[in-house]
Amino acid sequence: MFKDDLLKNKAILITGGGTGIGKEMGYKFGKLGAKIAILGRREDVLKDTAEKFTNEGIDAIFHRCDVRSPEEISRAFDYFVSKFGRIDILVNNAAGNFASPFEELSPHAIDAVIGIVLHGTLYMTLEAGKRWISNSQKGVVLDIVTTYAWTGSAFVVPSAAAKAGVLATVRSLAVEWARYGIRHVAIAPGPFPTDATRKNLFPLPGMEEALINRVPLGRAGTMEEISNLAAYLVSDEASFINGEVVTIDGGEWLKGAGQFNDLLQLTKEQWEMLKSISKKK
Ligand code: HXC
Ligand code: NAP
């Protein structure tokens, strides 16, 4: 689908790049010629992923960092820049989330999710942007949000509130920082089952299947599909896309939105009956 050198000479920093979607995007970017820097809280996980990338011929480095800490972020950037010379593209992918009735959450639980998703994304973007602006360097920020950033969703309120804030940031900075040559884009994935979503969001039997049944295309997304979209959006081929969020969900959120979408359940006979009643004789 892409030229092999689509991302050649680009240094791409991915938060939460040791696992799940972040890891898959890193692999795809690396195969397209990018140098990959990943960060997260678990050093062993990062080391393992970076080694896998290196064994595949990808120039990959890692640094332990909690995105809730501006000091740790600054140190991680210093390390990555000392190795790669600069960072060209930032992917804010790290997240924390779990399903719970809102009334059962503690303030600390709310802070944990909002701290990672909203504050973490803003701190990372601030650090990258300050460096780009002071060096007169262009940049791209890709934020991974969700479709409930604009619909909201029961039982994941801190995550929904934080992702909505991230999306507002994308649309705000797309305008504010365009004058510095910094683009902002976002991806809103539907279900892409990962170890983390299975553990935190659909751990009970039948939950994952039920989620996938909501998707009009009848399946979950694949890592290849989301990685291809990400590679395009961060590449120079997408250089006029700024402030946009691209949904990749098989039509899931729209199915929930349309008032008549439940008519999908009607049989052929029921449609005939409906027509015989409603159509002018
Ligand atoms: C209620 C919970 C809880 C749960 C933790 N807490 N899990 N409350 N239900 N299931 C509470 C704790 O009791 C504590 O509050 C507070 O949250 C912080 O917990 P810690 O474990 O100390 O926090 P921390 O180590 O910072 O971990 C953050 C985390 C954790 C968010 C709680 O789950 C995490 O690290 N997640 C990272 C991976 C992840 O979540 N990936 C999923 C992304 S998927 P008290 O008051 O007791 O101290 C995604 C997809 C969306 O976003 C769409 C899918 C279709
Ligand atoms: P994941 O594997 O849990 O990825 C999250 C990553 O973030 C982990 O590598 C984790 O590593 C890191 N992380 C968490 N807290 C951190 C912190 N405080 N500082 C630094 N790193 C931190 O989950 P995923 O499913 O791949 O999700 C990736 C992104 O896609 C998230 O933004 C998620 O909201 C979004 N998304 C996913 C789906 C889906 O179906 N999978 C759907 C919609 C949106 P450590 O624990 O080692 O820190």
Side-chain angles (χ1 to χ4, degrees):
M1 175 169 175
F2 298 117
K3 295 177 285 189
D4 286 346
D5 62 351
L6 181 78
L7 298 172
K8 194 162 188 263
N9 296 327
K10 303 285 188 194
I12 306 184
L13 167 50
I14 307 171
T15 68
T19 64
I21 293 173
K23 179 179 178 180
E24 298 289 337
M25 289 190 294
Y27 181 75
K28 169 63 73 177
F29 299 160
K31 284 292 172 188
L32 291 168
K35 293 182 273 191
I36 304 301
I38 54 174
L39 63 75
R41 293 165 301 175
R42 290 167 297 168
E43 185 137 13
D44 53 332
V45 171
L46 295 167
K47 186 165 182 280
D48 189 54
T49 297
E51 271 172 16
K52 284 197 176 100
F53 287 0
T54 307
N55 292 340
E56 291 280 337
I58 296 168
D59 194 353
I61 54 177
F62 66 94
H63 199 274
R64 205 209 75 80
C65 169
D66 188 323
V67 294
R68 291 170 288 191
S69 162
E71 294 75 28
E72 288 185 24
I73 288 174
S74 178
R75 280 198 290 276
F77 265 89
D78 284 346
Y79 173 75
F80 292 141
V81 171
S82 76
K83 293 286 176 190
F84 284 164
R86 62 173 198 272
I87 291 296
D88 299 290
I89 295 163
L90 167 65
V91 181
N92 285 310
N93 163 81
N97 196 8
F98 46 79
S100 169
F102 188 65
E103 67 275 18
E104 287 177 21
L105 293 178
S106 67
H108 186 208
I110 294 172
D111 290 352
V113 173
I114 292 184
I116 300 168
V117 177
L118 183 58
H119 295 169
T121 299
L122 265 66
Y123 296 162
M124 287 295 304
T125 303
L126 182 65
E127 185 71 32
K130 278 182 169 176
R131 289 172 188 249
W132 287 332
I133 292 164
S134 70
N135 294 335
S136 301
Q137 193 196 324
K138 290 183 176 179
V140 180
V141 179
L142 167 63
D143 290 346
I144 310 300
V145 294
T146 66
T147 55
Y148 60 61
W150 55 90
T151 63
S153 176
F155 304 113
V156 284
V157 173
S159 172
K163 294 285 191 185
V166 171
L167 187 52
T169 306
V170 170
R171 290 173 169 155
S172 305
L173 286 178
V175 175
E176 189 177 330
W177 281 1
R179 60 194 157 154
Y180 302 119
I182 299 170
R183 278 198 304 126
H184 272 77
V185 283
I187 292 178
F192 285 79
T194 58
D195 292 345
T197 56
R198 289 193 172 107
K199 176 171 172 275
N200 288 11
L201 294 167
F202 27 88
L204 304 178
M207 284 179 85
E208 182 173 332
E209 201 187 8
L211 200 70
I212 287 167
N213 282 341
R214 292 167 43 85
V215 180
L217 285 176
R219 64 173 176 85
T222 68
M223 292 299 167
E224 184 71 10
E225 288 167 330
I226 193 164
S227 303
N228 280 337
L229 174 60
Y232 168 66
L233 285 175
V234 301
S235 78
D236 293 339
E237 301 296 325
S239 48
F240 204 50
I241 300 182
N242 186 27
E244 188 55 72
V245 55
V246 181
T247 301
I248 177 165
D249 74 342
E252 185 202 14
W253 87 269
L254 286 170
K255 185 180 171 192
Q259 285 174 316
F260 289 92
N261 289 350
D262 287 344
L263 299 190
L264 277 170
Q265 288 158 8
L266 292 196
T267 62
K268 204 167 179 302
E269 291 69 34
Q270 286 172 313
W271 273 115
E272 286 304 324
M273 198 191 303
L274 195 141
K275 190 163 78 178
S276 72
I277 298 166
S278 61
K279 198 173 172 190
K280 202 170 159 192
K281 297 275 182 310

